[in-house]
Amino acid sequence: MSRTDGFNKAAGKWAGTAEVYSGEGRFLGNGTDRRNVQEIGDNRIRIDLSFLGPFKFSGHYIIEDKKTERLYHGPVNVGYAEPLSNTLVDSNSYWAAIGMTQRFLLMVLPDGKRQVSMAQLSRGDQLIYTVIGENHKVDTAFESIPTLVNGTSYDLANDPTAGRGEILLHRNGSWAGKLSVLNENMDELPTHDYEEKVQVDGNQVEIQYAGFALDPEPATVKFTSNEYQAWSPPGDVVGSYNIIGGRASSGHFQHLCPFLRVWRREIVLHEGDAKAVIHIWYRGGQRVGAEFGILNFEAA
């Protein structure tokens, strides 16, 4: 089975909502996302889509399935996507309709009928929007009403929690689960246990990490947070991340003992009880592995 098989089974109609944030992490508004996925032969898939929110566009693009990679031929979206598994795709592309470059993460949840995503949209290297999405496969004529946080962008633009009342990533408790692991050749390795323990005291956040795939030594990192970003002091594991609506983050960390860098992204689901995570490890500019999966939250 190729890594693209899971996405080829996604043919059909998908509908969902998104939360759109500015490059500074401020809530701009919700968006609606509609997609129709069709297989059109010769290992090609056509995506017809529309997005309506703080920005808008519609159109279609063709995906060529190369088994270990997916090529986006346009016209509205061109680029390259790499399926890391049957449930995870990581892509870099360009949306000509809005003139923006995209770094995109899409994970299919275990039920196979939901997808969670993070799109980081930039002009050059300047981050303009971050879009956190959850899509559901439409199996019936009636589309269920998606989960939304009530409010207006006028009020929530200065609320780092986007109306939720708390930073979901910074709650006292633990995130734990099993992560899938890939080596430098993207070959699958055995899954492993992973855990993060979080303790919060004002603007100080301490996170104890245990179970990194490429750095097995446990680490405790203390961060200072202004609720839109968090950054560490000197130590054996150091780095920073930006926080999107209290429920998602993206950041880079240096692990000094193995001299590796990891790009970590995470998205808390609407219900707040689980989050999707992906860690991509590098030595210099060379990727040396990845780990990803779903972690469940338990309050302290």
Side-chain angles (χ1 to χ4, degrees):
M1 177 183 292
S2 75
R3 293 198 298 267
T4 62
D5 286 344
F7 295 97
N8 293 342
K9 295 177 182 177
K13 295 181 179 180
W14 294 80
T17 61
E19 295 174 6
V20 183
Y21 296 87
S22 70
E24 295 78 26
R26 299 186 182 276
F27 181 78
L28 298 178
N30 283 102
T32 59
D33 191 311
R34 298 292 184 270
R35 298 171 186 260
N36 186 28
V37 182
Q38 306 173 71
E39 296 183 17
I40 58 176
D42 297 326
N43 295 320
R44 295 183 305 154
I45 300 166
R46 174 174 170 140
I47 310 288
D48 289 87
L49 77 159
S50 65
F51 184 89
L52 183 61
F55 61 89
K56 56 186 175 65
F57 61 87
S58 65
H60 79 275
Y61 61 99
I62 305 298
I63 298 176
E64 183 182 2
D65 178 15
K66 293 280 193 177
K67 302 304 180 185
T68 58
E69 60 188 4
R70 287 156 71 87
L71 309 181
Y72 296 178
H73 288 282
V76 301
N77 187 21
V78 296
Y80 179 93
E82 184 177 24
L84 301 183
S85 77
N86 280 311
T87 61
L88 177 66
V89 68
D90 190 33
S91 73
N92 291 271
S93 62
Y94 179 73
W95 293 95
I98 55 175
M100 290 192 178
T101 298
Q102 175 181 256
R103 294 178 297 169
F104 185 62
L105 166 68
L106 174 71
M107 183 178 289
V108 179
L109 300 185
D111 61 15
K113 295 184 178 181
R114 289 188 297 163
Q115 300 172 340
V116 62
S117 62
M118 176 191 294
Q120 295 168 289
L121 297 164
S122 304
R123 290 261 171 84
D125 287 328
Q126 181 179 351
L127 182 63
I128 305 295
Y129 298 113
T130 299
V131 183
I132 307 300
E134 284 195 34
N135 282 6
H136 298 250
K137 195 166 187 180
V138 179
D139 294 325
T140 65
F142 175 76
E143 297 180 13
S144 61
I145 304 300
T147 302
L148 295 172
V149 176
N150 295 331
T152 71
S153 58
Y154 178 85
D155 298 310
L156 301 181
N158 295 313
D159 179 358
T161 75
R164 293 182 173 86
E166 61 181 343
I167 303 294
L168 296 181
L169 291 171
H170 291 173
R171 291 175 289 173
N172 289 312
S174 62
W175 299 91
K178 286 188 176 294
L179 297 184
S180 299
V181 184
L182 305 175
N183 65 15
E184 67 274 14
N185 299 317
M186 295 295 100
D187 298 323
E188 292 186 14
L189 301 177
T191 61
H192 68 106
D193 294 323
Y194 176 81
E195 184 178 25
E196 299 173 356
K197 293 182 179 180
V198 183
Q199 292 182 309
V200 182
D201 183 8
N203 68 344
Q204 300 300 304
V205 181
E206 180 181 286
I207 304 180
Q208 300 176 31
Y209 301 98
F212 283 119
L214 276 76
D215 185 3
E217 290 297 319
T220 297
V221 184
K222 295 183 178 180
F223 297 95
T224 298
S225 174
N226 61 10
E227 299 187 314
Y228 291 102
Q229 299 100 24
W231 57 95
S232 76
D236 294 330
V237 176
V238 296
S240 63
Y241 55 95
N242 63 307
I243 307 166
I244 306 107
R247 64 175 293 216
S249 75
S250 177
H252 297 265
F253 298 83
Q254 304 288 337
H255 289 240
L256 300 187
C257 184
F259 281 95
L260 295 176
R261 171 175 57 90
V262 58
W263 177 22
R264 291 171 40 202
R265 284 170 286 176
E266 52 191 357
I267 309 165
V268 178
L269 305 187
H270 274 308
E271 297 83 357
D273 58 351
K275 68 178 180 179
V277 301
I278 176 172
H279 306 156
I280 300 182
W281 294 82
Y282 299 88
R283 178 173 287 112
Q286 180 182 3
R287 185 180 62 191
V288 295
E291 56 190 341
F292 53 89
I294 300 291
L295 304 179
N296 296 308
F297 181 72
E298 182 176 340

